[in-house]
Amino acid sequence: MPPFEIGLYTFGDITPDPAAGRQITPAERLRDVVDEARLADEVGLDVFAVGEHHRPDFPISAPAVVLAAIAERTTRIRLSSAVNVLSSDDPVRVFQEFSTVDLLSGGRAEIMAGRGSFTESFPLFGYDLHDYDSLFAEKLEMLLALRASERITWSGRHRAPIEDRGVYPRPIQDPLPIWVAVGGTPQSAVRTGLLGLPMALAIIGGEPARFAPFAELHRRAAAQAGHGHMPMSINSHGFLADDSQAASDAAWPATKAMTDRIGRERGWSPVTREAYEAGHGLHGATFTGSPAQVIEKILYQHEIFGHERFLMQFIVGSLPHPQVMRAIELFGTEVAPIVRAEIARRTSSEAVAAD
C-alpha cells in the first residue's frame, strides 16, 4: 500500500490577531498562506489544501489561483482544494483551472469537490438553494466526464448543453485526482463510493468514533460497484505547539473569535473554554496539543477508520504567523515521520497475519 499521507488545509481565516492587536489584511493573509505551504513542503508534509469561500472573513475565493502561486514556491507537496464549491461553479472552468495548476506544478494538483457549508456562493452566481443537492450531483457527473474525455457532449438541467467540444488544457496526471468531501450525510458517502472516488470525511465536532459507519458505507458501495478499494481522508481542526497547554492557549482566542462569529449567524451559543478543551482529548474531534498527543490521536483514529490520509486545518481564526510556522515545523518533522512509520508497521504486520 502507498505510505500514509499527512497534510494541512486552510481557509486563510481572518480575525483580529491577538498578538498584533489588529486584524490582518487579506493581502497579508494570502502571503502567509503561500509561506505556510512552502514550509509544509520543506518539512516533508504530503498535501497542502485551500478552501473556497465568498465571505469577508475568508480571503480565498479562487483556490486554483492560490495553488498556482504555491506551485511556484514548492517542489513535491500535493496541491488540493478543500473544497471547491462545485454546486455553484462551472465544471469546465474547475477542470481547466486545476489542469493548469497540474501543469504548473509538474503533476501535483487535486480537486476536492464539495457542496460547501456556507451558502453565499449560490445567490452570488445565480443558483437556487432549493437545488442544493441536484446541482452538486449533476456537476460532479459532468466533472468526471470532462476528466474522462478530451471532447465532451453534455446536457443537463442546470447548465447549457455542450455539443462535441474539446476542453483544454489537459493535465499531466491521467486521471486528475478528484476527491469528494463529505460532512455528515450517509447518502453522500454511498454516492462517493458508487462513483469510485476517494472520500474526505470532515470531523470537526462530536465523537469521531460515531463517524465509523461512513467509512464502511463508502468502502461497501465502492466494492459493490466494482471499483475496489477507494482511499479515505479524515479532515479535522487542530494546532500544535511544543507542549499541550501552549497549543491550547495559542489557538483558543482565534478559535473563539471565529466560532462565535459564525455562531451568531447560525444561532449557536458562544463556545466555552470547557467545551473547547473537551475536544482535545483522545476521543474528541480536535487535534490540538503537543506532537506526542497528536501522534497518539491520529493513530487512535486510524484504528477506527483505516484511512489513508489525514489533513489538519491550521487554523481556525488568525494566529501570529511565527506560531503557525512553528506548528507546521512540528507537524512535519516530529508527527509525520512517526505516524507514517507506525502505520506502515501495522499494515505490514496485518498483511503477514493474513497470509
Side-chain angles (χ1 to χ4, degrees):
M1 290 184 66
F4 188 79
E5 294 183 326
I6 300 180
L8 299 169
Y9 70 103
T10 181
F11 300 157
D13 308 35
I14 296 177
T15 55
D17 185 323
R22 63 176 183 87
Q23 183 156 305
I24 191 170
T25 68
E28 290 171 310
R29 189 68 189 97
L30 288 172
R31 285 194 293 269
D32 284 349
V33 167
V34 174
D35 202 31
E36 290 158 14
R38 175 196 56 76
L39 179 60
D41 185 51
E42 289 179 359
V43 299
L45 292 172
D46 301 298
V47 184
F48 194 90
V50 299
E52 173 192 348
H53 293 86
H54 301 270
R55 301 166 50 92
D57 40 6
F58 301 114
I60 303 173
S61 63
V65 176
V66 178
L67 293 174
I70 291 170
E72 294 303 300
R73 296 286 303 278
T74 56
T75 60
R76 51 164 299 280
I77 198 165
R78 298 198 63 77
L79 306 175
S80 179
S81 52
V83 301
N84 278 96
V85 185
L86 189 61
S87 308
S88 57
D89 211 336
D90 185 333
V92 174
R93 290 301 286 159
V94 171
F95 184 81
Q96 290 175 324
E97 289 164 356
F98 278 80
S99 292
T100 303
V101 174
D102 202 54
L103 295 170
L104 288 169
S105 66
R108 294 185 281 132
E110 297 181 357
I111 298 170
M112 190 186 298
R115 290 179 289 186
S117 59
F118 294 89
T119 60
E120 289 84 0
S121 65
F122 289 82
L124 184 63
F125 296 111
Y127 291 101
D128 190 334
L129 270 172
H130 290 98
D131 298 324
Y132 186 77
D133 193 62
S134 64
L135 277 164
F136 182 73
E138 181 178 295
K139 292 190 175 190
L140 179 58
E141 182 182 346
M142 185 181 186
L143 182 63
L144 295 176
L146 290 160
R147 181 176 74 162
S149 176
E150 182 175 321
R151 302 192 70 83
I152 184 171
T153 296
W154 173 265
S155 62
R157 176 185 164 200
H158 298 292
R159 191 197 188 282
I162 300 175
E163 182 65 34
D164 191 28
R165 293 288 182 179
V167 177
Y168 308 102
R170 306 305 295 182
I172 292 173
Q173 297 178 91
D174 185 16
L176 181 69
I178 297 174
W179 292 66
V180 174
V182 173
T185 308
Q187 294 86 346
S188 296
V190 171
R191 176 170 57 196
T192 304
L194 291 174
L195 289 171
L197 295 173
M199 177 176 73
L201 180 60
I203 304 178
I204 58 174
E207 190 172 328
R210 297 175 57 190
F211 290 81
F214 286 78
E216 180 59 30
L217 287 169
H218 176 244
R219 293 187 179 115
R220 189 184 308 155
Q224 289 174 350
H227 297 300
H229 181 80
M230 286 292 109
M232 176 180 165
S233 174
I234 299 296
N235 297 2
S236 296
H237 295 166
F239 193 70
L240 281 87
D242 292 277
D243 65 74
S244 59
Q245 193 61 54
S248 181
D249 289 346
W252 164 245
T255 299
K256 180 170 176 58
M258 182 60 77
T259 304
D260 287 354
R261 180 189 298 186
I262 295 169
R264 286 191 292 272
E265 299 173 8
R266 302 186 176 186
W268 302 340
S269 299
V271 65
T272 65
R273 184 68 186 254
E274 182 180 16
Y276 164 79
E277 296 281 359
H280 301 169
L282 184 62
H283 301 285
T286 308
F287 288 76
T288 298
S290 67
Q293 286 177 296
V294 172
I295 290 166
E296 181 185 26
K297 198 161 185 175
I298 295 173
L299 294 175
Y300 166 72
Q301 288 198 7
H302 188 263
E303 293 177 357
I304 297 171
F305 297 106
H307 50 303
E308 290 77 18
R309 175 182 282 188
F310 172 70
L311 300 185
M312 186 190 296
Q313 182 180 344
F314 277 12
I315 49 179
V316 179
S318 298
L319 290 180
H321 187 53
Q323 289 186 351
V324 177
M325 297 293 273
R326 175 58 178 162
I328 293 171
E329 181 183 5
L330 292 170
F331 198 40
T333 62
E334 297 194 20
V335 174
I338 293 175
V339 168
R340 291 192 197 107
E342 175 58 20
I343 290 177
R345 186 196 65 78
R346 291 179 182 182
T347 303
S348 177
S349 299
E350 289 167 2
V352 170
D355 290 341

